[in-house]
Amino acid sequence: MSGTVTVVSSNEKYSFTKPNRDSVTLLTGLGVEGDVHAGVTVKHRSRIAQDPTQANLRQVHLIQEELFDELREAGFDVAPGDLGENVTTRGVDLLALPVGTRLHLGDEAVVEVTGLRNPCLQIDNFQDGLLKQVVGRDEAGNIVRKAGIMSVVAVGGLVRPGDPVQVELPAEPHRPLERV
């Protein structure tokens, strides 16, 4: 399974959206260089309030660009970086990956998937009604989260739009993604 990095984004300050960049540098065990969410321990405000010593399992946020196509069809105008992701991809069903999947981004960087992003009410502040588009329920009534996946940096390196994404699945049994 493979795909492509289409956009990379980062922001040095707390903000819902992240500006697109020509490249980002991933730092092993930390996240995106210069991004407000980089660090060994949690950087998301709600998680800091719970326990600031928690490990940061949300160093790099990835979203598949196909979500933006789906949202556009539903009448929303959402572009890469708008939902706060660092890496936008195309061609890989990120939401179907198991915990522990390693994504090789470009020539050097590798991130390890830790879980699903848990969308919050800020999404509706960005565009009213958007939260219902990225969180729903399947036929069995289970919650479905579509706002991307979270990961930690296993191997640092430069990541640019156009870089390949190679998927390395973990050993079985596979564990499905849960919110982190």
Side-chain angles (χ1 to χ4, degrees), residues 22-45:
D22 293 333
S23 66
V24 293
T25 301
L26 302 188
L27 303 173
T28 304
L30 293 174
V32 177
E33 182 177 45
D35 192 81
V36 69
H37 293 112
V40 174
T41 57
V42 294
K43 301 300 175 195
H44 290 78
R45 291 176 174 163

Side-chain angles (χ1 to χ4, degrees), residues 118-163:
N118 191 31
C120 64
L121 290 175
Q122 287 185 34
I123 290 177
D124 269 350
N125 293 337
F126 177 69
Q127 285 186 36
D128 191 42
L130 187 58
L131 184 60
K132 286 184 180 178
Q133 298 295 315
V134 297
V135 178
R137 294 200 180 264
D138 64 15
E139 305 79 38
N142 300 310
I143 295 175
V144 176
R145 293 172 177 86
K146 300 181 190 177
I149 63 172
M150 306 309 281
S151 65
V152 294
V153 181
V155 179
L158 191 67
V159 181
R160 294 179 287 258
D163 280 349

Side-chain angles (χ1 to χ4, degrees), residues 96 107 140:
D107 294 333

Side-chain angles (χ1 to χ4, degrees), residues 98-99 101 169-176:
V99 172
T101 298
L169 294 173
E172 294 197 28
H174 291 162
R175 291 182 320 157

Side-chain angles (χ1 to χ4, degrees), residues 4-6 62-66 87-92 94 165:
T4 306
V5 172
T6 59
L62 298 96
I63 286 184
Q64 56 200 43
E65 193 170 47
E66 290 85 350
V87 178
T88 308
T89 66
R90 184 168 283 281
V92 176
L94 298 175
V165 176

Side-chain angles (χ1 to χ4, degrees), residues 53-120:
T53 66
Q54 293 176 70
N56 186 2
L57 301 178
R58 301 165 56 105
Q59 294 174 357
V60 180
H61 176 198
L62 298 96
I63 286 184
Q64 56 200 43
E65 193 170 47
E66 290 85 350
L67 173 63
F68 303 135
D69 300 338
E70 181 183 320
L71 294 174
R72 205 169 295 111
E73 289 175 16
F76 292 89
D77 183 21
V78 182
D82 283 352
L83 298 182
E85 75 277 8
N86 301 111
V87 178
T88 308
T89 66
R90 184 168 283 281
V92 176
D93 185 356
L94 298 175
L95 303 175
L97 299 173
V99 172
T101 298
R102 291 169 68 93
L103 298 173
H104 297 257
L105 307 173
D107 294 333
E108 301 172 312
V110 179
V111 297
E112 186 169 313
V113 177
T114 56
L116 295 167
R117 176 189 183 186
N118 191 31
C120 64

